[in-house]
Amino acid sequence: NREIVLLFKSKRLQRGDLCAFSYSNKILIKRIIGMPGDMISIDDLGNVIINGENLDEPYLTEKSLGECDIEFPFEVPEESFFIMGDRRDTSIDSRSSVIGCVEREQIIGKIFFRIWPFKKIDFIN
């Protein structure tokens, strides 16, 4: 969306990190929601439950189940991550079998810093 960000390669990925990954000859940016081995559920209102605990998502402006064709509870495979976009009503992400979970080797890096536009320069968590 016309922003320029810096990212860095890291093996230490955590829940909540924004990451860039390669998918179908494109680079997509989504948020890591589920780690390898996590059990994920999402209710009809868009609330995310991980291993039985509600996920606090202060970065969202609106929750939504969005496009979802997987069954819950869903176990995140080893060496993979369950990713979701912050615009849940329109994002195509791990809730869709089209993309599914992102494997570790698909991840290019974590988003670290927004450098453009100037009025929005900041560190990104």
Side-chain angles (χ1 to χ4, degrees):
N1 59 356
R2 299 182 186 256
E3 294 183 347
I4 298 173
V5 296
L6 296 177
L7 55 99
F8 68 97
K9 190 79 172 166
S10 175
K11 292 187 186 268
R12 294 187 305 184
L13 299 170
Q14 300 175 19
R15 182 175 294 111
D17 287 346
L18 280 173
C19 66
F21 63 96
S22 175
Y23 172 77
S24 191
N25 293 324
K26 296 178 185 172
I27 295 176
L28 302 178
I29 297 175
K30 306 286 181 185
R31 192 172 298 276
I32 294 175
I33 299 299
M35 305 297 289
D38 280 347
M39 292 298 291
I40 309 282
S41 290
I42 305 174
D43 67 19
D44 291 338
L45 299 175
N47 296 304
V48 177
I49 299 101
I50 299 177
N51 302 323
E53 304 265 331
N54 285 332
L55 180 63
D56 181 31
E57 299 185 280
Y59 40 81
L60 291 182
T61 56
E62 187 174 325
K63 293 183 180 184
S64 171
L65 180 57
E67 184 172 326
C68 181
D69 66 357
I70 63 171
E71 290 187 29
F72 296 112
F74 178 86
E75 184 174 4
V76 181
E78 290 302 316
E79 295 300 313
S80 297
F81 299 91
F82 193 92
I83 51 94
M84 293 173 70
D86 288 353
R87 294 184 188 102
R88 301 283 165 83
D89 56 338
T90 59
S91 180
I92 305 296
D93 47 41
S94 292
R95 297 170 292 172
S96 170
S97 59
V98 172
I99 291 186
C101 288
V102 174
E103 295 178 5
R104 187 177 295 277
E105 64 261 8
Q106 288 177 266
I107 295 178
I108 299 165
K110 290 170 45 168
I111 307 299
F112 176 66
F113 192 77
R114 180 181 11 238
I115 59 174
W116 180 262
F118 289 128
K119 64 183 176 190
K120 291 177 77 176
I121 290 178
D122 64 350
F123 287 96
I124 300 175
N125 294 334

